[in-house]
Amino acid sequence: MKKIILILGLLGSVVTFGAKLKVGASPVPHSELLQLVKEDLKNENVDLEIVELTDYVTPNLLLDSGELDANFFQHKPYLETFTKEKNLKLESAGNIHIEPLGVYSKRIDKIENLKKGGVVAIPNDPTNGGRALILLHNNGIIKLKNPQDLLATEFDIVENKNNLKFKSLDAAQIPRVLEDADLVVVNGNYAIEAGLNPLKEALIIEGKESPYANLIAVRKGDVNREDIQKLVKALQSEKVKSFIEKTYKGGVVPAF
């Protein structure tokens, strides 16, 4: 971590001030968790600056360009896919939590009541789109050619007994079409932001065994930076675990 050293007068005292650690994050729950540990990091001589971002593209581009020191919004399959497509050199510094993907509806109260020809809104980014389809496959709504394919698309559906029509949208926008679709598949953070209760309102929800843990992403070679290590340690603390369990009540699950 870069430091500024001030030498005070004849006493030769040295006071060390931490440089800013800029972390891009989705508002909920990522930014909230960062706010929770901000004072703890200050006591560790890390001046955390939180930059809130609401999409799934900008945070990685800003990190790669050096405008951010880290970001906190994504899971490993998304990070791997995005960095491969954009030829970026980013990696994970540690897992923090899981946001179970959920299926919601304003038109039906049980998945068994799903009508033929219904519209299903799913995220349009490859990894979360595939994740949504796998969730639907695992619950018998559709059948995929290969349910282990994390990048599955609607063209990989081999059985669609209800003749469902799939609409791919930006993940952040999906809660807004809840009234206009028969089913919407929503990421946990966007469900919480939209006032949805994943445990009470989701017709289907991923289990705690989900491999899609949200992580701290950094540029390759920065994992062992002192300030990055302090950030990860603070977020993987009992304090954060307790906060997650009490605040999000199953909508967010610790992954450490």
Side-chain angles (χ1 to χ4, degrees), residues 128-153:
N128 282 302
R131 181 183 177 188
L133 294 174
I134 290 170
L135 180 61
L136 297 174
H137 168 96
N138 289 341
N139 286 273
I141 298 171
I142 59 171
K143 185 178 289 186
L144 293 170
K145 180 169 55 180
N146 176 12
Q148 305 303 316
D149 181 6
L150 300 183
L151 300 179
T153 71

Side-chain angles (χ1 to χ4, degrees), residues 240-256:
V240 170
K241 182 178 181 181
S242 178
F243 178 85
I244 287 173
E245 291 172 345
K246 291 178 181 178
T247 304
Y248 304 114
K249 304 183 187 305
V252 178
V253 181
F256 54 88

Side-chain angles (χ1 to χ4, degrees), residues 23 26 48 73-74 79 91 93 106 120-121 162 191 201 238 242 254:
V23 181
S26 301
L48 177 65
F73 78 100
Q74 65 194 317
L79 175 65
E91 62 183 330
K106 288 291 187 182
V120 182
N162 287 315
E201 297 180 71
E238 285 299 316
S242 178

Side-chain angles (χ1 to χ4, degrees), residues 98-169:
I98 297 165
E99 299 167 13
L101 201 65
V103 179
Y104 301 84
S105 178
K106 288 291 187 182
R107 297 183 178 181
I108 58 174
D109 56 5
K110 292 181 181 179
I111 207 69
E112 294 81 10
N113 297 333
L114 184 61
K115 296 180 180 178
K116 292 186 181 299
V119 174
V120 182
I122 64 173
N124 64 4
D125 61 278
T127 49
N128 282 302
R131 181 183 177 188
L133 294 174
I134 290 170
L135 180 61
L136 297 174
H137 168 96
N138 289 341
N139 286 273
I141 298 171
I142 59 171
K143 185 178 289 186
L144 293 170
K145 180 169 55 180
N146 176 12
Q148 305 303 316
D149 181 6
L150 300 183
L151 300 179
T153 71
E154 60 184 284
F155 299 106
D156 297 306
I157 298 172
V158 294
E159 183 177 308
N160 182 2
K161 57 188 177 184
N162 287 315
N163 194 29
L164 301 172
K165 298 176 177 63
F166 290 87
K167 188 172 184 179
S168 296
L169 300 170

